[in-house]
Amino acid sequence: MSPSHRILARLSIRTKVPLVAGLLILVVGGALSTAAYLAMKRAAMERGGERLVSLAGQFHETFRGSIGDVKARAIAAARKPALARYLQSPSPAREGAALAALEYSGPQPELTLATELRDASGRVLLSAGRQGGPAQPRLPSLGERDSAPLGAALPELASPDSAAIGRLRQDQDSLAYPIAARIPSEPGGYLVIWRRVSNAPQSRAQIARIFGSEAAFHFGNADGSIWSDLGRATAPPPVDPARLEGLQRYSRRNGPGDVLAAAGRIPGTPWAFTIESPVHAVLAPTRGFLRTLTLIAALCVTIGLGAAALLSRRLTEPLRHLTDAADAIASGEVSRRVRLARADELGRLGASFDAMATQVEEARHRLEETVASRTRELNQALRQLQNTQESLVRREKLALLGQLAGGVSHELRNPLAVMSNAVYYLELIQPNPPEEVRQYLGILRDQIIQSAKIVDDLLHFSRTPSANRQPIPLRRILTAVMPQLPELDGITLEHEVPDTLPEVKVDAAQAGQVILNLLINAVQALEQSGSGGRITLRATLLNEALVALEVTDSGPGIPPELQGRIFEPLFTTKARGIGMGLSVSKTLAQLNGGDLTLAGGDGAGTTFVFTLPLAREGG
Amino acid sequence: MSRRILVVDDDLAMTQTLCDILRLRGWEPRSAHSGEAAIAAQREDPCPVVLMDIKMPGIDGVQAWRTMKAERPELRGVLMTAHTAPELLAEAERESDARVVIKPLDLAGLLELLERGG
């Protein structure tokens, strides 16, 4: 993978799409703009050229007219008879008339430097300057310098009915040129008029008006010797003089630089002219076009980038939502959905994703439910196991205790019996003992009976009999128990046992023993607190299998730290008692298919719940 | 009718106190301290009434009683036990076909029972 590929791969789609779109727009727009600009440039050059050529044509026509006019004047002036007469006999008498004839009469007389009368060989015979003008002193030098070449050219230049115009010459800070016309006489001669090229500001303004401010008019000798832009001398165009015709393109180093020029020869003269326009001026409208084009391109790129960014966002935003949702689901938030409100491919992807997420969520819920259900079952099984274990431990303890109690009971009963016999004997031999003796014998007898009862209880409670379970109404068991209760001194006993309660299936004697035990405990608890109280017996249908009998007393309750131990064998909080009652009761309750639990008992009395199985369940 | 009575128990204190009480109430008690001794005493000089403990080393009270009863069917008697389990009592009464009382003894009741002939 090349570095650029790697960079592209690392970029997000959201960045990539606008980037690629922008690049595309730039490339396409750039290519189109370049093509348009080049076409525009070519068209501008063509149009500029055409305009220059058209101007040159107009100029050419104008020149043709004015040159013709100048020549006609020269021809007319050469026909004046005074000139011919002076040529025939140059005498001082005729000089005045000849000089008067030489006076230039035409438009722009200030441009005429001098008018000369020359003989056939070209020698200057007479010369008339402009009246009062400064031209007069310059003429000799001009005439001397040019007499030879002009003289050599004169016969060819001037036919009887025509005139000729010579090359331009430098005359101090302006240009001058000669117009020669043949004087029709014998001997022959020539009239030569020297005129200056106008460099007045209005002439340049006129030219500028015609060609535009950027365009320049140059003219000079076609051989390239002297050129001017009507204001000052300029370099001739850097073109072979023979090819100085039509549209040209060249560079003026010290001037406007690259120029487009229309060149032409001025008819009837040895002159040529160029109308030059700098290429940058020709291309000026193109630059405007280029600016507009650049502006449009920039606008296109901006709009394109914006649109691409928007589109990219529209495309990637749902993808981001999808990614976020997938991450959320992966991290456990299974209720997460995308809910893309669109009907395109992304919308369908979102819908499929949501459907999948729903399935995942449902599967997870099912799994959780299954786990929860299994956990409940396990917990239940664990509780049962713990109960069974507790029960087993308790029974084992009881069995051990029973064995011990059996032996101890037997071994204690014999000495107790001997003691009992001894007391009886003493009472027999002393029917009327002193009061003290009688009292102490009584104490001995009571303690022997008490001891025998303790041993008896220990033995009795530690045996685990089998249950002979029969269907029986709970009320009947209660009725059998009540007479066995000790005297309830200041204690209220309340029954809440409905007649509608179904029969239970228990060993009536064992169930009665449990209830009696609970009631005796309650009575003892109330006696301990010493201020009477209330005991409530309340039976309810717990579920389809069990009846719950609640035995509640309003006594002091059982301290929390002792509540876990009350069902242990040999545990007691009473001043008297061996701590077998609740342990044996729980064993009996479980033996009969129910249980005995502590429901409450801290400060607000104590409630034991004795559950008994229903007869109709067949358990 | 003879008021002779054989008191059998491996506990000497028990036989002594019982014999003393019975003597005070007009009985002529003799004592033995095992089942074997009791059977031998009956064969040598039989008493019409026997008061015997069940749990003794060697031959227990029930077996000794059945032996004596087999030899002298007119024999009357009461057995004593320190066991209190009702099923054990019932079993002893069924096997011995005699009344069984529990230690410590209800002496008034026992004397009355003996007066009536066991």
Side-chain angles (χ1 to χ4, degrees):
Chain A
M1 194 184 268
S2 71
S4 63
H5 272 108
R6 236 174 288 143
I7 291 169
L8 264 182
R10 213 180 306 146
L11 284 176
S12 73
I13 292 176
R14 191 166 169 180
T15 314
K16 235 185 283 182
V17 169
L19 202 66
V20 171
L23 278 173
L24 272 177
I25 294 171
L26 265 180
V27 168
V28 172
L32 283 176
S33 301
T34 307
Y37 175 65
L38 288 177
M40 180 77 184
K41 200 170 160 183
R42 200 166 56 241
M45 288 294 275
E46 278 172 10
R47 193 166 162 271
E50 280 167 10
R51 187 161 159 269
L52 284 174
V53 169
S54 157
L55 277 174
Q58 286 175 26
F59 189 76
H60 194 269
E61 288 309 308
T62 312
F63 240 130
R64 186 199 298 277
S66 66
I67 292 293
D69 192 41
V70 166
K71 280 183 175 178
R73 280 178 196 285
I75 289 167
R79 284 179 181 171
K80 287 180 179 172
L83 295 178
R85 274 195 298 275
Y86 186 81
L87 279 177
Q88 282 162 358
S89 66
S91 65
R94 288 179 178 179
E95 192 179 302
L99 281 172
L102 285 177
E103 274 313 314
Y104 179 80
S105 60
Q108 294 178 298
E110 74 276 5
L111 293 180
T112 301
L113 295 170
T115 311
E116 296 168 342
L117 176 67
R118 299 194 184 207
D119 62 13
S121 64
R123 195 168 49 92
V124 177
L125 299 177
L126 286 174
S127 176
R130 199 179 42 175
Q131 283 184 340
Q136 203 67 24
R138 289 204 309 264
L139 279 170
S141 68
L142 181 74
E144 278 162 15
R145 199 169 53 235
D146 287 297
S147 60
L150 184 64
L154 284 176
E156 293 89 48
L157 277 175
S159 59
D161 289 323
S162 73
I165 292 179
R167 290 166 59 245
L168 293 163
R169 285 151 173 83
Q170 190 70 43
D171 173 32
Q172 292 183 358
D173 57 347
S174 67
L175 293 180
Y177 61 90
I179 308 154
R182 184 187 291 261
I183 298 168
S185 69
E186 259 331 300
Y190 299 101
L191 176 76
V192 177
I193 304 170
W194 290 93
R195 273 179 73 88
R196 197 159 50 90
V197 175
S198 168
N199 59 353
Q202 62 262 35
S203 309
R204 285 216 297 280
Q206 203 177 355
I207 295 287
R209 203 166 53 243
I210 297 170
F211 301 123
S213 62
E214 292 273 5
F217 175 75
H218 295 260
F219 87 109
N221 292 323
D223 60 7
S225 54
I226 290 177
W227 279 75
S228 165
D229 65 352
L230 290 183
R232 57 196 163 82
T234 59
V239 181
D240 179 6
R243 293 178 55 214
L244 208 56
E245 198 78 47
L247 203 59
Q248 304 285 338
R249 188 170 174 179
Y250 47 82
S251 180
R252 280 194 180 276
R253 291 263 161 66
N254 297 320
D258 219 6
V259 297
L260 193 63
R265 288 179 185 275
I266 300 172
T269 68
W271 307 342
F273 70 92
T274 61
I275 303 168
E276 299 179 354
S277 179
V279 170
H280 70 82
V282 174
L283 294 181
T286 319
R287 276 200 300 280
F289 174 73
L290 187 63
R291 268 197 302 277
T292 313
L293 208 61
T294 309
L295 207 65
I296 291 172
L299 206 65
C300 280
V301 169
T302 309
I303 292 173
L305 277 176
L310 209 67
L311 178 71
S312 164
R313 190 192 159 91
R314 284 271 294 158
L315 282 174
T316 54
E317 197 68 358
L319 288 177
R320 198 176 59 75
H321 282 316
L322 277 166
T323 312
D324 286 352
D327 287 347
I329 289 172
S331 64
E333 195 193 326
V334 289
S335 61
R336 182 72 169 267
R337 297 291 180 276
V338 219
R339 294 200 179 86
L340 295 180
R342 47 199 296 169
D344 57 5
E345 291 86 343
L346 283 170
R348 285 202 294 281
L349 178 59
S352 302
F353 181 90
D354 282 349
M356 185 197 71
T358 304
Q359 285 184 352
V360 168
E361 189 179 9
E362 284 171 4
R364 187 183 162 128
H365 276 313
R366 279 198 297 277
L367 194 63
E368 280 174 350
E369 277 169 16
T370 310
V371 169
S373 155
R374 292 286 179 278
T375 308
R376 272 198 305 277
E377 287 171 17
L378 275 176
N379 282 338
Q380 203 174 350
L382 190 64
R383 267 198 307 279
Q384 280 177 355
L385 194 64
Q386 281 171 342
N387 281 345
T388 309
Q389 194 181 13
E390 275 173 27
S391 171
L392 278 175
V393 168
R394 197 169 53 250
R395 283 190 201 192
E396 202 167 319
K397 274 189 182 177
L398 283 173
L400 209 64
L401 196 62
Q403 266 183 326
L404 183 69
V408 170
S409 166
H410 186 262
E411 293 313 312
L412 278 178
R413 275 176 177 275
N414 275 314
L416 285 175
V418 174
M419 288 157 73
S420 167
N421 289 353
V423 171
Y424 191 81
Y425 175 77
L426 289 175
E427 283 173 342
L428 277 182
I429 61 172
Q430 275 202 304
N432 294 307
E435 180 53 29
E436 280 179 328
V437 173
R438 199 183 61 78
Q439 193 182 344
Y440 272 85
L441 285 175
I443 289 172
L444 268 177
R445 192 177 56 242
D446 287 351
Q447 291 303 311
I448 289 164
I449 291 169
Q450 189 63 42
S451 302
K453 188 177 181 312
I454 289 171
V455 173
D456 200 34
D457 282 353
L458 191 62
L459 197 62
H460 179 67
F461 284 139
S462 48
R463 272 184 299 123
T464 48
S466 59
N468 178 23
R469 297 170 58 194
Q470 300 293 334
I472 185 171
L474 182 58
R475 285 176 76 99
R476 196 180 297 167
I477 300 173
L478 290 171
T479 308
V481 166
M482 287 309 148
Q484 303 179 51
L485 273 179
E487 193 178 340
L488 300 174
D489 188 15
I491 295 170
T492 320
L493 180 59
E494 291 173 357
H495 292 251
E496 284 180 42
V497 183
D499 290 331
T500 53
L501 212 58
E503 286 189 339
V504 291
K505 186 175 181 183
V506 292
D507 183 313
Q510 290 173 354
Q513 189 184 336
V514 173
I515 295 166
L516 181 64
N517 194 20
L518 292 176
L519 287 172
I520 288 172
N521 279 352
V523 169
Q524 286 174 350
L526 292 176
E527 281 173 347
Q528 239 176 339
S529 65
S531 57
R534 190 173 61 249
I535 299 171
T536 312
L537 269 173
R538 200 163 75 89
T540 50
L541 197 59
L542 190 65
N543 52 39
E544 287 179 356
L546 291 172
V547 163
L549 178 68
E550 292 176 13
V551 180
T552 306
D553 67 61
S554 59
I558 299 168
E561 65 271 17
L562 300 182
Q563 288 181 6
R565 301 187 56 199
I566 55 171
F567 292 110
E568 287 179 15
L570 301 180
F571 178 81
T572 182
T573 60
K574 298 174 192 168
R576 300 180 65 126
I578 54 170
M580 295 301 293
L582 285 174
S583 172
V584 169
S585 294
K586 190 171 177 82
T587 304
L588 289 178
Q590 289 178 347
L591 196 66
N592 280 275
D595 203 352
L596 178 64
T597 52
L598 178 68
D602 180 23
T606 309
T607 298
F608 283 97
V609 182
F610 176 25
T611 53
L612 305 93
L614 288 173
R616 66 177 174 211
E617 283 298 308
Chain B
M1 178 181 170
S2 170
R3 287 182 65 83
R4 296 174 64 217
I5 181 168
L6 179 65
V7 178
V8 188
D9 201 308
D10 56 331
D11 185 343
L12 294 178
M14 191 72 197
T15 52
Q16 185 194 329
T17 51
L18 280 175
C19 286
D20 286 348
I21 291 165
L22 287 167
R23 203 171 287 117
L24 282 175
R25 302 303 294 212
W27 291 85
E28 295 170 29
R30 294 169 56 196
S31 63
H33 298 104
S34 69
E36 293 86 342
I39 293 167
Q42 278 297 88
R43 285 180 186 156
E44 189 183 318
D45 182 10
C47 296
V49 181
V50 174
L51 177 61
M52 182 157 60
D53 187 30
I54 292 177
K55 186 168 182 286
M56 287 182 295
I59 297 171
D60 71 16
V62 175
Q63 276 187 9
W65 166 253
R66 285 168 72 170
T67 309
M68 295 175 195
K69 183 78 175 172
E71 288 173 7
R72 295 177 62 88
E74 73 278 13
L75 187 68
R76 293 172 294 132
V78 174
L79 298 180
M80 303 178 290
T81 180
H83 289 291
T84 55
E87 60 269 24
L88 285 179
L89 289 181
E91 185 188 347
E93 285 194 336
R94 193 169 60 248
E95 287 188 4
S96 63
D97 193 22
R99 290 297 302 269
V100 179
V101 296
I102 295 172
K103 292 178 180 177
L105 302 163
D106 170 15
L107 285 162
L110 176 65
L111 289 169
E112 199 180 321
L113 191 63
L114 291 174
E115 294 296 345
R116 285 194 272 118

